[in-house]
Amino acid sequence: MDEQQLHEFIDVLNAFDYAMLVTRRGSELRSRPMGIADRTDDGHVWFITSIDSAKLDEITENPAVNVAMQADDKFLSISGTVRATRDPERISAVWDGIQDLWFPKGRHDPTLVLLEVVPTYAEYWDRSGIESVRFAFDAAKAMVTGETLQKEAGKHGKLDFPKTRA
C-alpha cells in the first residue's frame, strides 16, 4: 500500500464525525447514518449500536459493508467487513458520554455493542483548500474554451488494504 495515499486517506477520514453505513438485507442495500465512535491509523472505523438493531441481523447474515462519507469538498468510500464486539476496554476507550442519550445505563448497558469496520478497499477525493481553487480555475478555463475538463480535481486515491482475518 502506498504510504502517501494512506496518509491522505486518514486525513480525509479524520474530517468526518458521521457516516452512512451500508449493509445488505437479502438482495437489498440498506444505509443509515451513524456517528463515528473512533477511527484508527490503519483505516478501521468504529460505531456504537444496540444489540437489538436490525443492522446486527444484517451483518450477521452478510458482514460485507460500505461506509460512505461526504462533506463540502471531501468524499470517502470504504468497502470492508464488519465485526461486532462487546469488549469493555474498547467500549471505555470510545465512550464519550453523548451515547448516554441512547444507552441510559452508560457504557455498561447490556444492549450496547461496537461495530468495527475492517477496510478491504477505500477510495477518497479531497477538493478542499488550494485544490478547490485549482478546480475552479480549470473548470472556468474549460467552460471558456469549450473543452472538457481533462483532469480530476484535487487529491484522489484508491487503496487496497491487506487481507486480515475478521
Side-chain angles (χ1 to χ4, degrees):
M1 179 183 320
D2 180 293
E3 288 299 316
Q4 177 64 27
Q5 281 191 329
L6 178 61
H7 177 73
E8 290 173 359
F9 163 76
I10 296 299
D11 282 348
V12 173
L13 176 60
N14 286 334
F16 296 100
D17 294 322
Y18 299 93
M20 294 296 287
L21 176 65
V22 183
T23 58
R24 183 174 295 280
R25 184 182 73 183
S27 62
E28 296 176 341
L29 296 175
R30 301 199 55 213
S31 60
R32 75 257 305 150
M34 301 284 294
I36 298 171
D38 197 13
R39 78 267 299 143
T40 60
D41 289 340
D42 57 357
H44 294 216
V45 180
W46 293 80
F47 301 105
I48 296 174
T49 193
S50 170
I51 198 150
D52 301 322
S53 168
K55 74 180 85 53
L56 228 46
D57 292 334
E58 294 162 9
I59 66 169
T60 300
E61 181 73 24
N62 185 346
V65 297
N66 180 267
V67 178
M69 302 172 210
Q70 185 271 324
D72 298 323
D73 294 329
K74 295 184 181 196
F75 309 84
L76 188 132
S77 174
I78 302 171
S79 297
T81 56
V82 65
R83 54 188 172 198
T85 182
R86 297 178 87 183
D87 176 20
E89 288 181 26
R90 188 69 184 133
I91 291 170
S92 290
V94 303
W95 194 262
D96 66 10
I98 191 72
Q99 296 91 355
D100 287 330
L101 294 169
W102 294 274
F103 300 97
K105 295 179 183 171
R107 65 179 172 252
H108 303 293
D109 193 305
T111 65
L112 188 146
V113 65
L114 289 179
L115 301 179
E116 177 187 14
V117 176
V118 179
T120 55
Y121 177 80
E123 196 162 355
Y124 65 88
W125 300 260
D126 184 354
R127 298 180 186 158
S128 62
I130 191 68
E131 299 300 336
S132 134
V133 173
R134 282 189 191 126
F135 176 73
F137 175 78
D138 290 343
K141 180 179 169 187
M143 289 175 73
V144 168
T145 63
E147 296 175 2
T148 302
L149 194 57
Q150 294 298 314
K151 64 178 184 172
E152 191 163 342
K155 296 176 184 173
H156 175 224
K158 300 175 183 182
L159 294 95
D160 283 307
F161 287 82
K163 302 291 186 229
T164 59
R165 290 191 293 170

